[in-house]
Amino acid sequence: METDRQIVLRRRIKVLTSLFIVGLILAGATAIPLKWELDVLASLTGADANSTGLLAEWIRHVHTALNQTAAQYPFLFYGTDWLAFGHFVIAIAFIGALRDPVRNCWLFTFGMISCVLIVPYAFIFGGLRGIPIWWRLVDCSFGVFGFVPVWLCKRWAEELGGLNQRNEWQGSNDDEEKREAARF
């Protein structure tokens, strides 16, 4: 029989893991319609006009590059389709953590490592690709904000595993006591 603490831990793990999965799916889904998304963003921010400002200039620069790429080299977007696929597959893997967070606790470790690696990856490759530092910091924020829920889930899954072992041990002792009492 599960204790109240085990029920609370399972609920917390389920909520944060589900949130992480939804975040992965949304991040993947936004990698597919890039041209449309940037058209909307440029229109909403006024960056498609001759507005000034760091953000507007960056959006206009990216918008121009994306439109030229779409017109001349649309096959390059196949790479972002695969980026989306990678996000979807990782999200599917985390369903294992939803089903059995104790046995699949390694997924939370994997998630934490992945989130930490976003920071050097964004700085190294963003620098090589000419991405402004402030945008690389935005990219890094996904790693920081993604780390927190998987770290909490890992802690809770480990605590849940300890409670499960204690309950199993108590259950086996109770069975042994019943067998011992039945002998007399």
Side-chain angles (χ1 to χ4, degrees):
M1 175 127 183
E2 278 195 328
T3 65
D4 289 342
R5 181 65 181 164
Q6 288 171 305
I7 293 168
V8 167
L9 290 172
R10 283 190 191 283
R11 188 175 303 131
R12 287 178 180 174
I13 292 167
K14 185 171 273 197
V15 167
L16 287 187
T17 302
S18 297
L19 182 68
F20 193 73
I21 290 170
V22 168
L24 283 166
I25 291 169
L26 290 175
T30 61
I32 297 172
L34 289 179
K35 186 178 175 328
W36 175 81
E37 290 171 336
L38 210 51
D39 288 343
V40 170
L41 182 63
S43 178
L44 289 175
T45 61
D48 56 349
N50 288 329
S51 58
T52 58
L54 195 61
L55 181 61
E57 289 175 17
W58 175 248
I59 292 172
R60 193 169 40 256
H61 180 68
V62 173
H63 190 238
T64 301
L66 202 62
N67 283 328
Q68 287 176 355
T69 303
Q72 296 176 340
Y73 310 105
F75 58 86
L76 289 176
F77 292 106
Y78 191 53
T80 59
D81 297 338
W82 280 106
L83 172 68
F85 177 77
H87 280 77
F88 299 151
V89 169
I90 294 167
I92 290 168
F94 271 89
I95 292 172
L98 276 178
R99 294 182 70 179
D100 190 342
V102 175
R103 185 185 319 154
N104 295 309
C105 190
W106 67 272
L107 281 165
F108 300 126
T109 303
F110 166 76
M112 290 187 315
I113 292 167
S114 299
C115 287
V116 167
L117 288 175
I118 289 173
V119 176
Y121 199 87
F123 276 103
I124 292 168
F125 290 103
L128 291 173
R129 306 287 184 234
I131 307 297
I133 188 77
W134 59 270
W135 191 260
R136 286 182 266 166
L137 291 172
V138 170
D139 289 339
C140 290
S141 72
F142 287 97
V144 173
F145 292 121
F147 184 90
V148 174
V150 290
W151 174 72
L152 288 170
C153 286
K154 180 174 174 51
R155 283 186 44 207
W156 294 333
E158 288 171 346
E159 181 182 346
L160 184 59
L163 291 172
N164 289 349
Q165 283 181 334
R166 228 174 289 139
N167 283 353
E168 288 172 13
W169 183 78
Q170 281 180 331
S172 65
N173 278 351
D174 290 346
D175 291 344
E176 195 174 303
E177 287 173 9
K178 287 177 188 171
R179 280 192 299 268
E180 192 67 32
R183 273 203 263 166
F184 294 108

